[in-house]
């Protein structure tokens, strides 16, 4: 019999999904085609947490023999990435071979690899400032790296490529060109660059001739159906049945982010003490969301509260609480936010004489907050939106609580945030949850 998974293997808020993975039809074909087409380079982009890594992991599992993953970090240079990839290829060229090297080409390649390796491990430590970095041996060209990868039937994944220095990012385009050229010789050779940005062009700026050689794949936030599918799939694996009203509420709060969906489901299970799949099918009701949300807010609330407080507090009393009006308007707009005009229209529903100039000024100010950003503008769409869908969810709840009486009433945000968080710790609810298993256990 298979070993039973634990809830942590099913609901995976911080790692790529595996057991509760759901297919994403609209991206699937493009991605699979691009992976199968020799010479096609790939750029995957989209909001952080939208599911880029999960998707590529799952597809590579099926379509590729090997792959090399280089994780980019802030301030890393392209040279360091080349070295990283080179190091990771080591097992293909240095392990004891049980079969003899089959032909002279691969024998020669192996010799080249080992030659470079010994140069690297020898005298090539060079001091630069505090850090000692390894110099790139002249033989470690992009062509040679491509050969090493091609021979090992690997593709090269560059995770979080947006973190690389701007100046070094241009080198990716050159590397892709080399990989395109060498794909005639090595069919599986390709670079897959992944970036948490709004457009493929922010990941790599390639030139005209490369246009048809690069597949740009956008991974959008998840829609409500996809999020619900995660809940259903994870629920089945846990032998739990999430009420339809509960699963639609979770999907709503997730605000497009599968990671929040996993978080809330995991919290519900942990709170109800389901660490492994239940023996009997158990119904999970809507009430169990409250403690799960509270667990979630407890972890995230510092950042959230700080962002809201810093953006909304006013040093002097002004005629309008401008940031508050903006937040309220944005919370009523869809996930992708709205243009300046959309926001203005919302605000004038409540404040019909609101000056245009105020909106311009405060939108700009709020987008420039570097330490505790709450909203951002997107150049590609011309829209303003919460920087994180999570903030939108928070704002929606906040607004719905604080504006339930008089829409013109000014909000004391500190109070509102505090009471909002408190509203999730109602003792009764927490207590009632503990009797869940008994109350809602049903026979299969
Ligand atoms: N297709 C999917 N099915 C189920 N869960 C997913 C899926 N894609 C992503 N997730 C979950 O969403 C979260 C973020 O996914 P990840 O792939 O790391 O996003 P990204 O790389 O875009 O930041 C993780 O918790 C992961 O488990
Ligand atoms: Mg990722």
């Amino acid at each position: 019999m298979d070993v039973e998974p634990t809830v942590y293997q099913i609901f995976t808020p911080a790692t790529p999904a595996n057991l509760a993975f759901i297919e994403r039809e609209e991206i699937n074909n493009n991605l699979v085609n691009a992976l199968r087409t020799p010479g096609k380079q790939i750029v995957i982009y989209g909001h952080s947490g939208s599911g880029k890594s999960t998707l590529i992991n799952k597809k590579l599992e099926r379509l590729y023999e090997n792959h090399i993953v280089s994780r980019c970090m802030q301030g890393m240079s392209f040279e360091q990435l080349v070295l990283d990839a080179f190091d990771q290829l080591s097992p293909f060229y240095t392990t004891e071979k049980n079969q003899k090297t089959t032909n002279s080409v691969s024998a020669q390649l192996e010799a080249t690899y080992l030659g470079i390796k010994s140069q690297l491990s020898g005298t090539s430590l060079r001091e630069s400032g505090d850090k000692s970095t390894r110099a790139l041996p002249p033989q470690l060209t992009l062509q040679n790296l491509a050969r090493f990868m091609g021979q090992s039937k690997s593709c090269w994944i560059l995770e979080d490529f947006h973190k690389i220095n701007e100046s070094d990012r241009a080198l990716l385009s050159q590397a892709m060109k080399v990989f395109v050229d060498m794909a005639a010789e090595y069919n599986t050779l390709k670079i897959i660059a992944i970036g948490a940005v709004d457009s493929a062009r922010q990941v790599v700026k390639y030139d005209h001739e490369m246009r048809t050689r690069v597949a740009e794949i956008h991974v959008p936030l998840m829609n409500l159906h996809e999020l619900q599918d995660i809940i259903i799939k994870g629920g089945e694996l846990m032998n739990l049945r999430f009420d339809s009203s509960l699963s639609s509420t979770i999907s709503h709060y997730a605000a497009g982010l599968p990671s929040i969906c996993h978080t809330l489901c995991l919290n519900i299970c942990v709170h109800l003490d389901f660490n492994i799949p239940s023996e009997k099918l158990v119904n999970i009701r809507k009430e169990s969301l409250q403690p799960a949300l509270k667990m979630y807010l407890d972890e995230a609330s510092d950042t959230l509260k700080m962002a809201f407080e810093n953006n909304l507090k006013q040093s002097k009393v002004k005629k309008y609480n401008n940031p508050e009006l903006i937040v309220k308007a944005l919370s009523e707009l869809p996930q992708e936010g709205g243009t300046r005009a959309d926001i203005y229209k919302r605000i004038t529903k409540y404040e019909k004489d609101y000056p245009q100039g105020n909106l311009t000024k405060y939108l700009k100010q709020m987008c420039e907050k570097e330490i505790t950003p709450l909203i951002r503008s997107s150049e590609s769409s011309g829209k303003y939106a919460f920087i994180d869908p999570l903030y939108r969810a928070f704002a929606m709840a906040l607004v719905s609580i604080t504006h339930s009486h008089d829409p013109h009433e000014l909000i004391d945000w500190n109070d509102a945030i505090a009471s909002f968080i408190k509203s999730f710790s109602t003792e009764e609810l927490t207590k009632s949850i503990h009797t869940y298993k008994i109350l809602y256990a049903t026979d299969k």
Side-chain angles (χ1 to χ4, degrees), residues 408-429:
H408 295 279
E409 200 181 310
L410 277 180
I411 300 172
D412 178 337
W413 285 91
N414 290 344
D415 259 17
I417 292 168
S419 74
F420 173 73
I421 289 178
K422 235 196 274 156
S423 73
F424 286 109
S425 43
T426 327
E427 242 178 61
E428 284 156 59
L429 278 172

Side-chain angles (χ1 to χ4, degrees), residues 35-53:
L35 280 169
R36 284 192 171 139
T37 310
K40 198 65 135 181
Q41 309 301 301
I42 304 179
V43 174
I44 303 179
Y45 66 99
H47 200 292
S48 168
S50 60
K52 302 179 292 297
S53 303

Side-chain angles (χ1 to χ4, degrees), residues 53 68-82 84-85 88 156-165 168-169 172 191-196 203:
S53 303
I68 301 284
V69 183
S70 296
R71 276 173 222 291
C72 305
M73 267 155 326
Q74 220 76 50
M76 236 171 149
S77 69
F78 199 77
E79 221 176 67
Q80 283 171 292
L81 287 175
V82 171
D84 178 65
Q88 290 192 51
W156 188 16
I157 300 163
L158 298 166
E159 275 273 9
D160 293 331
F161 195 74
H162 57 280
K163 291 186 179 163
I164 294 293
N165 294 335
D168 269 55
R169 248 181 279 164
L172 176 61
I191 293 179
I192 302 166
I194 305 177
V203 181

Side-chain angles (χ1 to χ4, degrees), residues 252-255 386 388-398 420:
H252 173 74
Y253 271 99
F386 288 108
D388 198 302
L390 163 66
Y391 286 23
R392 178 170 165 265
F394 192 89
M396 281 192 285
L398 205 53
F420 173 73

